[in-house]
Amino acid sequence: MEVTGDAGAPESGDIWTLKPCLLRRNHSREQHGVAASCLEDLRSKACDILAIDKSLTPVTLVLAEDGTIVDDDDYFLCLPSNTKFVALANNEKWAYNNSDGGTAWISQESFDVDETDWGAGLKWKNVARQLKEDLSSIILLSEEDLQMLVDAPCADLAQELHQSCATVQQLQHTLQQVLDQREEVRQSKQLLQLYLEALEKEGSLLSKQEESKAALGEEADAVDTGISRETSSDVTLASHILTALREKPAPELSLSSQDLELVTREDPKALAVTLNWDVRKTETVQEACERELALRLQQIQSLHSLRSISARKASPPGERQNPKRAKQDPT
């Protein structure tokens, strides 16, 4: 929905998009649906709809869920539709209301800190800080970390990275592309694996000799597995790494670079026992992890080289010319 500006909102002639919002007073169970083009427009409508006396102005708008003060139009525009606001008059202080305007889906029980959600919130913020320090670390992140940043609220991620919402939306789009590319590679590897398995089955049907060799190979693997059971306790990989290795097709695409390095360092026989695999399959997965790790490190080096070249090109002309003048100095 679009409207042309009126008094107290955008200037005449401007076109602003209306954002649907929910308003209520502090300690009140009654909420009102309004549409506003900007914060000033929302404040004005809050005074009218909630019957706030003008002597109690200025009105402060805060988020109903946690009391965050909203005083920036850009942040307001990044908030989702039907965001719940509490209008605080004069020096009124925000107080949590477990009924939240009478809605049934929020209760005091749901307000209590959920350890899982709280931990997930802290984790994506830590990943965001890592990304803020070095954007090229996108290549090193696991799929889980990438998905967390994609799913993070745009406004919160923008605040954490100190970037505009438009920039963060583009970043999330890029992260989704990275995930899509890894998924395409995974599907390609799955198709190749299915093709190889089909060829192997066809060959086994045509040759009894191949069947006998396969049986001997299985016995040899069983022997190897039995020997390596003594070293199974040496595997120190975290549970999420072992889960990815067991359950994910092309697990090297799901793990972070640090996890890949840990996998490559494990003893193949001990890891085979832990995963209940044969040694050959374990070594194949470790080799795939090593190749993926090398590829990511190569990409990082390329990005750093490009960044250095860009920095030199972007330096002021005077800085680039100073060394030349120094060479021409007769002294």
Side-chain angles (χ1 to χ4, degrees), residues 217-273:
E218 290 176 1
E219 292 176 2
D221 289 337
V223 172
D224 289 340
T225 302
I227 295 173
S228 60
R229 289 188 186 275
E230 299 177 357
T231 61
S232 61
S233 59
D234 295 335
V235 176
T236 57
L237 296 178
S239 59
H240 74 276
I241 301 178
L242 295 174
T243 300
L245 292 173
R246 288 192 186 100
E247 301 177 1
K248 295 282 187 178
E252 69 275 7
L253 301 176
S254 301
L255 298 173
S256 68
S257 296
Q258 184 178 6
D259 294 340
L260 291 174
E261 187 173 0
L262 293 175
V263 173
T264 59
R265 290 179 180 178
E266 289 293 340
D267 178 68
K269 293 182 179 180
L271 185 57
V273 174

Side-chain angles (χ1 to χ4, degrees), residues 70-82:
V70 181
D71 53 7
D72 178 74
D73 270 313
D74 290 336
Y75 183 77
F76 170 73
L77 294 175
C78 289
L79 294 172
S81 298
N82 296 315

Side-chain angles (χ1 to χ4, degrees), residues 45-304:
K45 291 184 177 181
C47 291
D48 295 338
I49 295 174
L50 301 177
I52 300 176
D53 194 297
K54 292 186 177 180
S55 63
L56 298 178
T57 55
V59 171
T60 301
L61 296 174
V62 302
L63 297 181
E65 59 183 6
D66 58 8
T68 299
I69 297 175
V70 181
D71 53 7
D72 178 74
D73 270 313
D74 290 336
Y75 183 77
F76 170 73
L77 294 175
C78 289
L79 294 172
S81 298
N82 296 315
T83 296
K84 298 181 180 182
F85 292 90
V86 175
L88 303 178
N90 205 359
N91 294 323
E92 193 176 5
K93 300 296 183 182
W94 173 81
Y96 172 72
N97 186 342
N98 62 0
S99 64
D100 196 18
T103 53
W105 59 276
I106 291 186
S107 63
Q108 182 61 43
E109 183 178 0
S110 66
F111 176 70
D112 294 337
V113 177
D114 185 293
E115 293 183 359
T116 302
D117 293 341
W118 182 73
L122 281 182
K123 189 171 182 180
W124 80 253
K125 288 185 178 181
N126 289 333
V127 176
R129 294 188 187 105
Q130 179 183 349
L131 200 61
K132 181 182 175 183
E133 293 176 1
D134 186 4
L135 191 59
S136 61
S137 62
I138 289 176
I139 300 172
L140 304 178
L141 297 179
S142 67
E143 286 186 329
E144 180 186 1
D145 292 341
L146 291 172
Q147 191 63 56
M148 279 194 301
L149 292 177
V150 171
D151 295 338
C154 180
D156 294 345
L157 187 56
Q159 185 177 7
E160 191 68 35
L161 297 176
H162 301 293
Q163 298 289 339
S164 67
C165 281
T167 301
V168 169
Q169 286 175 349
Q170 184 61 40
L171 173 62
Q172 289 180 314
H173 177 69
T174 301
L175 296 177
Q176 186 60 57
Q177 286 182 322
V178 174
L179 284 172
D180 293 342
Q181 289 173 356
R182 291 192 184 183
E183 182 60 28
E184 289 176 2
V185 173
R186 178 183 292 108
Q187 291 178 2
S188 299
K189 289 188 175 184
Q190 283 181 282
L191 289 173
L192 179 59
Q193 183 64 31
L194 290 173
Y195 176 71
L196 293 175
E197 288 177 359
L199 289 178
E200 185 177 353
K201 289 180 180 179
E202 182 180 357
S204 64
L205 291 174
L206 296 176
S207 175
K208 291 183 179 181
Q209 184 179 2
E210 291 296 328
E211 290 180 359
S212 61
K213 286 183 178 180
L216 291 173
E218 290 176 1
E219 292 176 2
D221 289 337
V223 172
D224 289 340
T225 302
I227 295 173
S228 60
R229 289 188 186 275
E230 299 177 357
T231 61
S232 61
S233 59
D234 295 335
V235 176
T236 57
L237 296 178
S239 59
H240 74 276
I241 301 178
L242 295 174
T243 300
L245 292 173
R246 288 192 186 100
E247 301 177 1
K248 295 282 187 178
E252 69 275 7
L253 301 176
S254 301
L255 298 173
S256 68
S257 296
Q258 184 178 6
D259 294 340
L260 291 174
E261 187 173 0
L262 293 175
V263 173
T264 59
R265 290 179 180 178
E266 289 293 340
D267 178 68
K269 293 182 179 180
L271 185 57
V273 174
T274 302
L275 297 173
N276 198 24
W277 288 355
D278 60 73
V279 178
R280 182 178 178 183
K281 180 178 179 180
T282 304
E283 290 176 339
T284 300
V285 171
Q286 284 184 302
E287 290 171 1
C289 290
E290 188 172 358
R291 287 194 299 270
E292 178 66 19
L293 179 61
L295 176 61
R296 293 187 192 181
L297 294 178
Q298 184 180 5
Q299 290 173 337
I300 287 291
Q301 292 174 356
S302 299
L303 283 175
H304 282 284

